[in-house]
Amino acid sequence: MEKRDTLIALVDCNSFYASCEKLFRPDLKNRPVIVLSNNDSCIVAASSEAKKAGLKRGLPLFQQKQLIESCGAAVFSSNYTLYADISRRVIMALGELAPSIETYSIDEAFIEVPFRLGADPHKIASYGREVREKVTRYTGIPVSVGISSTKTLAKAASRLAKKNNKGEMEHLYIIDNENRIPSLKAVAVEDVWGIGMRYSLFLRERGIHTAYAFSLLDPWWVKKKMTLTGYRTLLELNGEKQVNPEDPSSGKKAIISSRQFGRPVTSLEELLEAVSDYATGASEKLYRQSSSAGAVTVVLETDRHREGEKYYSAGRSFLFPSPVSYTPDIIKASCALMKEIYSSGYNYKRAGVILTDIASTDKMQKELFEEINESGERKKLQQAVSEINFRYGRNTLSSLSRGTGTLKWQMRRQRLSPRYTTDINDFPVVSAG
DNA sequence: TCTGGGGTCCTAGGACCC
DNA sequence: TCTGGGGTCCTAGGACCC
């Protein structure tokens, strides 16, 4: 058996959100399907039929009304509860196929190709097919598989895999030493993982149009112009591993809760309601990962796309004397920050709460002179509220500062699909006989 | 009318210290 | 008149990802 380094496969769900919606709606099988961002404002996922019709990720909904109608696309608001559940099933299916998995995002995972396959291209290709077929069989979600020696090359391979839509190599692509150069010539520089819009414009201005041309640049020049990140990308394209696997035990370093409002908001009262709501959401996330936050930041901005109106954006942070996880503390600090950055006379479009300096609560230092009793009571209350909200739905119990009336600023989600898999009231009903 | 939300990493530059 | 330099820590902002 020929010796080789570990090979990495990137498994990428095709049009993930759209595929999830199709899963429970067989009538949509060959129809264009699109999924919208929060507030139903722009397209975040499009099925292959929708892409063919010209509907792309990132386009604002209001500009696509005609096209949507003419191609008969089904339109959904995003249903993250559903997608998160399907994602978990995909990861479980991969668990049976790979020695190690790194979940990269809701719809992608890097897996290690089993070492026993050696370097035999036929065996590796047949493993790729097995992964693709099993995931689809277990979950109903179609995936693409890209295999190579580094993560950046595996990403490039998966991009090429999406273009293969026939035969044995359907939705599968392997980059090895033999085909690396022609493969990278077929990948546009802006499609390289780690090279975004700014840098691809910069590179194209200098005559660099493909991943291959980029891979030939002087690494030190790239480091100077594109920071360490660009340098690592270059080395990865040349087959040198630079991007290390994440430590799976580490939790999030920041928790962000922010949203655009359903309509412009001007009053401080409504902003305080919104910020309390976001602070509650962020605190619950913090609680679920058993962590505490050392600081909270509140941000506020007007609509940057609105012509003829002055753009205003502000943010301010508060460092807690010692890390906190107690929701009311976080709400209180967030509201105080909002009062500081609020300026009247603007139409606000968005606000957010960001928790940072996050550390595991068990390892946390006890605050000096902390009153143990009070801390115990607080902990019990927090736990009870969190459990009730988990069981009976978000906001069953919540802080009064969130407001109890109709929350007029809340985002629009008018085309939400049912929670097929996570809410018993929404389970699909099957009749027999 | 109408352009998402949630993350990570890197760097420059200021503050502060000796 | 002369007006250091190196180290560390922190933060804001930029770039990227899905």
Side-chain angles (χ1 to χ4, degrees), chain A residues 71-140:
Chain A
C71 74
V75 181
F76 293 92
S77 299
S78 17
N79 185 344
Y80 294 108
T81 319
L82 174 67
Y83 312 148
D85 189 54
I86 306 292
S87 172
R88 201 178 40 79
R89 296 176 190 201
V90 170
I91 299 301
M92 272 170 57
L94 290 176
E96 293 182 18
L97 293 159
S100 78
I101 305 177
E102 183 192 332
T103 308
Y104 175 66
S105 73
I106 194 162
D107 69 337
E108 280 173 62
F110 290 103
I111 65 176
E112 198 185 316
V113 176
F115 199 72
R116 63 181 154 78
L117 301 176
D120 179 346
H122 291 104
K123 284 187 184 167
I124 292 167
S126 102
Y127 175 73
R129 273 193 294 279
E130 187 189 351
V131 169
R132 199 193 61 209
E133 281 156 16
K134 276 202 175 154
V135 172
T136 309
R137 191 160 0 109
Y138 291 175
T139 67

Side-chain angles (χ1 to χ4, degrees), chain A residues 238-299:
Chain A
N238 287 299
E240 289 180 46
K241 283 199 177 75
Q242 299 290 311
V243 188
N244 291 321
E246 312 258 312
D247 174 4
S249 65
S250 66
K252 297 265 181 281
K253 293 177 179 167
I255 292 174
I256 301 179
S257 179
S258 94
R259 257 172 285 287
Q260 297 204 350
F261 304 127
R263 58 158 178 79
V265 168
T266 53
S267 79
L268 178 61
E269 289 67 43
E270 284 180 296
L271 290 172
L272 290 174
E273 274 182 20
V275 109
S276 303
D277 187 44
Y278 304 158
T280 305
S283 304
E284 298 217 340
K285 243 189 197 176
L286 187 67
Y287 178 80
R288 268 180 264 127
Q289 74 173 50
S290 310
S291 300
S292 301
V296 58
T297 303
V298 171
V299 293

